Amino acid sequence: GLFVWHLKNTGMRQIPCQFVHLCRVANDRLITFQYFNFLKRMYVTQYNKDLSQRAKPKSDLVASPFRELQQLDQEKKVIHKISPISPVHPPLSETSNRNGLREMKSAAEIEDSITPVRAESKEDRQWKEMKLRLEDLPGILARLSKIKLTALVVSTASAGFAMAPVPFDLTCFVLASLGTGLASCAANSINQFFEVPFDSNMNRTKNRPLVRGQISPLLAVCFAASCGVPGIALLTLGVNPLTGALGAFNIFLYTCCYTPMKRMSIANTWVGAVVGAIPPIMGWTAATGSLDAGALLLGGILYSWQFPHFNALSWGLREDYSRGGYCMMSVTHPGLCRRVALRHCLALIGLSTAAPVLDITTWTFPVISLPINLYISYLGFRFYRDADRSSSRKLFFCSLWHLPMLLLVMFTCKKSFLEKEDKGDLLGGNHGRAMEIRLP
Amino acid sequence: PPAHSHNDWIGPPDKHSNLRPIIFYVPPEESPLERRLREARQEAQACNQRFWARHNCAFRQEKEEFIYSRLKAKGLEMRDETGQKATLNAEEMADFYQDFLSKNFRKHMQYNRDWYKRNFTITFLMGQVAVARALRWLRWKKKNVGN
């Protein structure tokens, strides 16, 4: 259903947010159902990791292992579309400032239907003039900046902002989101600039603008600079220097550490997880101006989430990674890959329990989130034990709805300002207030 | 590409290297800087094409050999009764992927260094050409306005 949030202090009516989950069944029937989330619209596309994305720049993860999905006519395929985002290693890391770049990366683009695919591949086989048309530019830049991954990154940053125990400041929120988004675009573009021949060879990423010659490398770099510089400046001057520094650091981490490391060592996954963890920290520091335990906890949750997400995704992309020369755990250390995924699923339970201890949420949060955390841990265990495609896919798809749901529950269980001051009331009033959204 | 075109043309992905070939347009009054850029791009294209075509072919070939040897070890033929090509499942192929990646690691390291260097050089040259063209256009504009 639709939820409308009311901001008590401003008396403003916020735009209702919808989260639309698109599921596609094998016979092309579209089932849509609404799912509440701040800003996220997620598509899961073939994952080709990259970085990607993994989200925001991170995301390179994008693979076409799900190509096999198309061939399985009998099987019910649930395809979630993820709006831009490059998840941490989950491809997307994306995402920029490496916000979530990694996430996106993991999402690969799944062709929507057979016909469009055929038309596209036919067009693909023709020679094209390398001339930039102005009307194509917005679409090209959107793809260059992995706009869907960027949106996911911005939404994790918004989650960080919303969880901070301070009165909600709309201007600050908008500036922080905008700055984060710009930084994410910049990082994603640089990531694509670096990876042209590798992207050409992987199914998930072979339709990127630089690979197809729709835009020149020079223009890509200029676009990245014209997004990154204002983005970081906006964060530093319009929000606070700490957020700006984090943003700049994240861009650096994503483009100069994660991207080259993908081809050098499996440690890239951990770097990418950090890239994905920084955006919510940025959201928090934008609101409070300081790096406290709550920020690190939120970052920790995102960090741990990246592993089941990306490791499950990369399990199906092993052929493309091996051929492309990417050093990923799923190829070189498969046992470690599954162990780490399971470990971090369990860590999510621990982190959720730590939230009320640090005064970020009420104690209803670990209780309500326990079922979903246990479920993802169960899938993580199945993946660990079975090590096959079906368990990896189950884990991956679970991670897609697990994160927004976890953040949503976290927000609804947020410890309100007033509650904090009157701890005596806490346990008594909790249940009644748990589902009420109150922003002091 | 048509003869009257003043732009580069990019084609479909190559069968072996998956890279898209570019046919470069040589303008009649190409400056030395522009020529350097074009030649750098052509050289990079040729290098990339060579590397990936060879690499991908090696991958395909080694993959076939691996499948063949594994099938033989299991006592199966390459093609079953229906004439379909027999394949191994993902878990069995994982050994091959692991092996292939580690075997080609050094090759990839070398290629990475090479590619990054070329990419930066070409982009920098593009920048220089763009600046030179902009200055030329400004001078032409001034001349025209003056007249």
Side-chain angles (χ1 to χ4, degrees), chain B residues 41-83:
Chain B
R41 290 172 75 190
Q42 278 167 331
E43 200 194 328
Q45 182 169 271
C47 245
N48 281 341
Q49 171 71 18
R50 264 201 312 269
F51 176 84
W52 284 105
R54 214 171 50 197
H55 179 77
N56 290 339
C57 284
F59 181 81
R60 260 192 284 269
Q61 193 182 1
E62 288 184 32
K63 186 176 169 189
E64 285 296 317
E65 286 171 9
F66 177 82
I67 292 179
Y68 181 69
S69 66
R70 276 296 169 94
L71 284 174
K72 219 159 72 159
K74 291 210 296 201
L76 301 165
E77 289 301 316
M78 276 302 288
R79 284 177 195 274
D80 63 18
E81 303 84 45
T82 63

Side-chain angles (χ1 to χ4, degrees), chain A residues 124-125 127-131 193-194 197-198 201 211 263-264 318-319 322-323 325-326 331-332 387, chain B residues 7-10 12 17-18 20 52 55-56 59 63 91 97-98 101 105 108-109 112 115 119 123:
Chain A
D124 230 18
R125 283 199 290 268
W127 280 80
K128 295 236 178 69
E129 190 172 12
M130 284 177 89
K131 185 180 154 136
F193 166 72
F194 281 159
F198 314 114
N201 272 283
V211 172
R263 311 186 60 79
M264 296 201 290
R318 285 176 287 180
E319 171 164 3
S322 166
R323 189 167 55 87
Y326 284 108
V331 181
T332 56
Chain B
N7 286 309
D8 301 334
W9 282 70
I10 191 164
S17 69
N18 294 317
R20 289 171 181 262
W52 284 105
H55 179 77
N56 290 339
F59 181 81
K63 186 176 169 189
E91 301 322 310
Y97 298 142
Q98 194 171 359
L101 187 66
F105 184 73
H108 278 296
M109 285 292 102
N112 290 346
W115 156 249
N119 199 20
T123 309

